[in-house]
Amino acid sequence: MSSYKVGVIGGDGIGPEVVAEALKVVAATGVSLTTTDYDLGADRYVRTGEVLPDSVLAELRGQDAILLGAVGPPVGSNAVPSGALERGLLLRLRFELDLYVNMRPFSGVPGALSPECDFVVIRENTEGTYAGEGGFLRKGTPFEVATQGSVNTRHGVERCARFAFTLAAERPRHHLTLVHKTNVLTFAGDLWQRTVDEVATEYPGVTRDYSHVDATCIYLVENSARYDVIVTDNLFGDIITDLAGAIAGGIGYAASANLNPDRIGPSLFEPVHGAAHDIVGTGKANPAAAIRSAALMLDHLGETSAAEKVTQALADFIASGPNPTLSTAAIGDAIAERL
């Protein structure tokens, strides 16, 4: 059996707690991981002033995968400058490792607003408004101007679209929806629409349609079953996946994979939720998203059978109507026992 090198960034708040349960469940599958813990996040920044040292980034490049819990200071804390971790750690890892696909699957849980939903959002992960193009003129004066550009390249859009079409071709419904705002964002939207139209010719078995991003917010709430695979840009993907998490049962169930499909470096897997410092140590953190993220990691590593078993065990546990007072560790134990 292969053993995989996994860099573990527990991070802040509940991050280490949910990652521990994800690793517990992976161990129950029999897949062997050699893990290396990395001290990154708000706590490190407060202690050392460092976000992601070059030496640590170099070490992470040598891993087969990265599993991250959550990063961020407590709400209201001024110890970490706004955006320092997002830009210096999360976005830097995405850009440096070319993690150009962000994949977020959503399956409704009992009691959710949309318990029947079953779709995947493919978000372009290295361009758009998060690329950092822009600046200030006359900052701090009454005549200040701030610009924030959206960077969209044919290369970046095409490889994201092709990944989404390939995924749609593998799913039972074979359907893809482009989500954008082509009526107003006439340059970026036009590039996205033309590229998707051209890539679609390579996938005759995939049906497709288009939704404006604002209409998508309505459809997700009123009729999320219309979606199978959504492909969209960086900013829109960030926003609609938070909404998707809410309608599918809560952000505590929302997993994500930051992928380099070309496999020229490690991909990164993380729950969508934040550090939730207010419940640290209480056992109230839901490890479901971290466990499902670990299943996405197993699938990416080629351990398809183990990934499917973890996903099914998690789904069965949720469907069983577990006691809502179960602790974080008890949830991890229950899912591991099913394996």
Side-chain angles (χ1 to χ4, degrees), residues 241-311:
T241 52
D242 275 7
L243 176 57
I247 63 102
I251 207 72
Y253 295 101
S256 76
N258 298 274
L259 300 174
N260 180 310
D262 305 323
R263 299 176 186 271
I264 59 174
S267 292
L268 184 150
F269 304 84
E270 59 175 325
V272 175
H273 62 67
H277 287 267
D278 56 322
I279 58 171
V280 172
T282 65
K284 294 180 179 179
N286 183 357
I291 292 170
R292 193 170 189 191
S293 297
L296 296 174
M297 179 182 74
L298 288 172
D299 186 61
H300 184 73
L301 291 171
E303 298 290 344
T304 305
S305 176
E308 291 174 349
K309 289 176 181 177
V310 171
T311 302

Side-chain angles (χ1 to χ4, degrees), residues 32-307:
S32 175
L33 302 182
T34 300
T35 60
T36 302
D37 291 318
Y38 290 93
D39 176 22
L40 298 170
D43 286 347
R44 176 169 183 154
Y45 180 86
V46 170
R47 293 195 318 272
T48 70
E50 297 177 307
V51 178
L52 178 59
D54 291 344
S55 59
V56 176
L57 176 60
E59 287 186 31
L60 287 169
R61 290 186 190 277
Q63 301 294 323
D64 295 315
I66 302 167
L67 184 63
L68 186 148
V71 294
V75 174
S77 170
N78 296 318
V80 180
S82 177
L85 295 178
E86 292 84 353
R87 293 191 304 270
L89 177 58
L90 301 178
L91 291 184
R92 188 180 180 201
L93 285 171
R94 292 174 187 174
F95 297 153
E96 293 278 357
L97 302 177
D98 201 18
L99 306 178
Y100 62 84
V101 164
N102 184 277
M103 179 171 69
R104 297 186 176 183
F106 296 94
S107 300
V109 304
L113 182 63
S114 297
E116 76 290 346
C117 73
D118 180 17
F119 61 91
V120 182
V121 178
I122 301 301
R123 164 190 172 191
E124 199 291 317
N125 211 30
T126 60
E127 297 188 348
T129 50
Y130 293 6
E133 192 276 331
F136 293 100
L137 293 173
R138 299 184 289 276
K139 187 176 182 180
T141 76
F143 305 100
E144 181 172 346
V145 177
T147 62
Q148 191 79 55
S150 179
V151 177
N152 300 265
T153 68
R154 170 62 191 233
H155 171 70
V157 175
E158 182 175 341
R159 63 183 183 172
C160 181
R162 183 164 283 109
F163 182 94
F165 271 104
T166 300
L167 178 63
E170 295 169 350
R171 288 170 60 87
R173 291 174 57 194
H174 310 304
H175 187 70
L176 179 141
T177 303
L178 169 62
V179 169
H180 211 280
K181 190 69 175 172
T182 56
N183 58 337
V184 175
L185 304 179
T186 52
F187 303 120
D190 185 67
L191 174 58
W192 272 87
Q193 186 68 72
R194 284 187 290 108
T195 304
V196 167
D197 290 345
E198 292 176 27
V199 173
T201 63
E202 303 171 25
Y203 298 85
V206 176
T207 59
R208 61 192 174 94
D209 62 5
Y210 170 85
S211 293
H212 287 324
V213 65
D214 46 339
T216 299
C217 292
I218 298 172
Y219 297 146
L220 282 172
V221 174
E222 295 184 346
N223 181 25
S224 61
R226 69 184 288 154
Y227 294 118
D228 181 21
V229 174
I230 291 174
V231 65
T232 190
D233 86 339
N234 209 337
L235 177 61
F236 295 150
D238 195 3
I239 294 169
I240 66 172
T241 52
D242 275 7
L243 176 57
I247 63 102
I251 207 72
Y253 295 101
S256 76
N258 298 274
L259 300 174
N260 180 310
D262 305 323
R263 299 176 186 271
I264 59 174
S267 292
L268 184 150
F269 304 84
E270 59 175 325
V272 175
H273 62 67
H277 287 267
D278 56 322
I279 58 171
V280 172
T282 65
K284 294 180 179 179
N286 183 357
I291 292 170
R292 193 170 189 191
S293 297
L296 296 174
M297 179 182 74
L298 288 172
D299 186 61
H300 184 73
L301 291 171
E303 298 290 344
T304 305
S305 176

